């Protein structure tokens, strides 16, 4: 089991103002052993943190930091026991909101000293939490004025029709976290909010709302691969451009596994076509996620040579 990172080398920009995303560095391994479910985040000063779970009882959430003025990652640091995924929101000053998830709950914590100590704020469950992957990546915060939203996904097993993913949200206003609510079916793949526009990536397609999350429509659900707007993750880049990360196979996996991205310049209402390839290989790639910072895109995924043998985490950057 391993965590692998990939990145882009500077090259031709997609459009003026867009990140330059046509050349990628060779993938490198990040975990020391047993790495699963990677996610990554940029802090306001420009530090890059990669989080992933390490197999064991319980699963341990750890992080590796690459400071803004360095080119290599530091050592693994334990973040939370019994966690599979994590989401971060950097607030004003030294305030940081953290959501961690395991097979049963999403736990919301807050720090007022840049992460040196954490205070419990609330916890949420969803679905009936059965099956091998009851908590889906990623956990995503969005902010608009004094509102902070948390988007996350769980698995529901009806016992008759089998398991399906579901997308949930919870809202914080005036420092109070309120009851969660179900948005739609699908495996979540990130979320963004700009003004009254809310955009959620999912396995069904893009869930888009133009009325501040009151009503959602599904975009790109009927498109054929590779044009389908299925999202493993979403990120925001220069100028407010939204990026969507997509993984798919041509034919029987893993004969032709692909990671691609597309983007939107209107808060998710429409998306660029065709999608652009990041990497293609004949080995399994699971749970990819990414972030875009200035002229670079950073991507991580869980890599496997043999199905169900998740061997390491890989990373690349542009």
């Amino acid at each position: 089991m391993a965590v692998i990172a990939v990145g882009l080398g500077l090259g031709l920009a997609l459009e003026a103002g867009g990140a330059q995303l046509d050349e990628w560095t060779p993938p490198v391994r990040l975990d020391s052993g047993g790495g699963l479910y990677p996610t990554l985040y940029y802090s306001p000063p420009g530090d890059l943190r990669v989080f992933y779970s390490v197999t064991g009882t319980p699963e341990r959430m750890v992080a590796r930091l690459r400071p803004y003025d360095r080119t290599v990652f530091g050592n693994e640091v334990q973040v939370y026991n019994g966690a599979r995924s994590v989401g971060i929101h950097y607030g004003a000053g030294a305030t940081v909101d953290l959501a961690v998830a395991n097979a049963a709950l999403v736990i919301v914590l807050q720090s007022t000293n840049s992460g040196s100590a954490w205070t419990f704020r609330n916890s949420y469950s969803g679905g009936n939490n059965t099956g091998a992957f009851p908590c889906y990546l990623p956990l995503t915060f969005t902010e608009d004025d004094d509102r902070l939203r948390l988007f996350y996904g769980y698995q529901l097993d009806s016992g008759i029709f089998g398991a399906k993913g579901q997308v949930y949200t919870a809202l914080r206003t005036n420092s109070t976290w309120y009851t969660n609510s179900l948005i739609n079916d699908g495996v979540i793949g990130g979320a963004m909010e700009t003004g009254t526009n809310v955009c959620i990536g999912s396995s069904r397609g893009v869930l888009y709302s133009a009325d501040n999350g009151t009503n959602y429509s599904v975009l790109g659900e009927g498109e054929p691969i590779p044009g389908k707007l299925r999202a493993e993750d979403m990120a925001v880049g220069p100028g407010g451009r939204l990026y969507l990360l997509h993984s798919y196979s041509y034919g029987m996996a893993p004969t032709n596994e692909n990671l691609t991205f597309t983007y939107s310049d209107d808060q998710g209402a429409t998306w660029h076509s065709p999608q652009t390839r990041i990497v293609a290989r004949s080995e399994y790639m699971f749970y990819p996620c990414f972030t875009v910072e200035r002229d670079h895109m950073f991507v991580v995924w869980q890599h496997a040579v043999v199905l169900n043998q998740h061997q390491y985490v890989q990373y690349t950057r542009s």
Side-chain angles (χ1 to χ4, degrees), residues 52-289:
Y52 49 90
S53 179
V54 177
T55 54
T57 305
E59 290 183 5
R60 297 182 300 110
M61 176 62 62
V62 301
R64 291 189 66 182
L65 170 66
R66 196 207 70 177
Y68 75 95
D69 57 351
R70 306 288 179 85
T71 59
V72 297
F73 287 88
N75 295 330
E76 288 182 347
V77 176
Q78 183 161 322
V79 176
Y80 200 83
N81 261 334
R84 177 167 289 181
S85 55
V86 62
I88 284 184
H89 167 258
Y90 293 97
T95 300
V96 184
D97 298 285
L98 181 72
V100 295
N102 53 37
L105 294 171
V106 173
I107 301 101
V108 181
L109 309 170
Q110 188 179 67
S111 173
T112 56
N113 54 11
S114 300
S116 297
W118 299 94
T119 301
F120 174 86
R121 293 303 186 194
N122 211 333
S123 63
Y124 301 99
S125 63
N128 55 8
N129 309 323
T130 62
F133 303 103
C135 180
Y136 289 106
L137 295 172
L139 296 164
T140 303
F141 288 102
T142 67
E143 185 177 25
D144 183 39
D145 295 329
D146 62 342
R147 299 190 310 270
L148 185 66
R149 297 185 209 257
L150 171 65
F151 295 93
Y152 64 96
Y154 269 113
Q155 180 169 278
L156 172 69
D157 192 337
S158 67
I160 299 175
F161 300 105
K164 64 179 179 180
Q166 294 188 315
V167 179
Y168 290 83
T169 187
L171 177 67
R172 187 191 76 185
T173 59
N174 298 321
S175 301
T176 300
W177 283 98
Y178 294 95
T179 304
N180 62 339
S181 59
L182 173 66
I183 295 177
N184 210 323
D185 292 341
V187 178
I188 191 170
M192 297 292 165
E193 180 176 4
T194 305
T196 60
N197 298 288
V198 182
C199 184
I200 305 168
S202 82
S203 59
R204 291 189 60 186
V206 170
L207 308 178
Y208 175 73
S209 172
D211 56 8
N212 206 26
T214 302
N215 300 284
Y216 287 90
S217 57
V218 183
L219 307 180
E221 183 177 20
E223 295 293 326
I225 290 175
K228 184 176 181 178
L229 290 178
R230 175 177 178 144
E232 271 71 30
D233 198 9
M234 298 179 69
V236 61
R241 173 175 288 179
L242 298 186
Y243 290 90
L244 180 152
L245 182 67
H246 179 204
S247 67
Y248 65 93
S249 298
Y250 279 120
M252 184 66 68
T255 56
N256 193 340
E257 295 276 297
N258 294 265
L259 286 180
T260 63
F261 72 89
T262 183
Y263 60 89
S264 170
D265 287 322
D266 53 13
Q267 292 81 53
T270 61
W271 293 85
H272 176 77
S273 182
Q275 298 191 27
T276 301
R277 180 180 293 163
I278 298 170
V279 64
R281 54 177 52 188
S282 295
E283 295 174 345
Y284 294 98
M285 294 183 288
F286 300 98
Y287 310 111
C289 63

Side-chain angles (χ1 to χ4, degrees), residues 5-14 18-28 40 42 48 66 70-71 73 235-238 243 245 261 276-279 289-301 314-318:
V6 177
L8 290 167
L10 292 180
L12 177 65
L14 291 176
Q20 301 180 49
L21 305 175
D22 64 326
E23 297 179 7
W24 295 85
T25 62
V28 297
L40 71 172
Y42 254 103
L48 178 65
R66 196 207 70 177
R70 306 288 179 85
T71 59
F73 287 88
V236 61
Y243 290 90
L245 182 67
F261 72 89
T276 301
R277 180 180 293 163
I278 298 170
V279 64
C289 63
F290 72 149
T291 188
V292 177
E293 179 70 11
R294 295 183 291 273
D295 289 334
H296 299 281
M297 181 182 287
F298 302 83
V299 186
V300 294
W301 70 89
Q314 287 193 320
Y315 157 85
T316 188
R317 62 176 288 276
S318 65

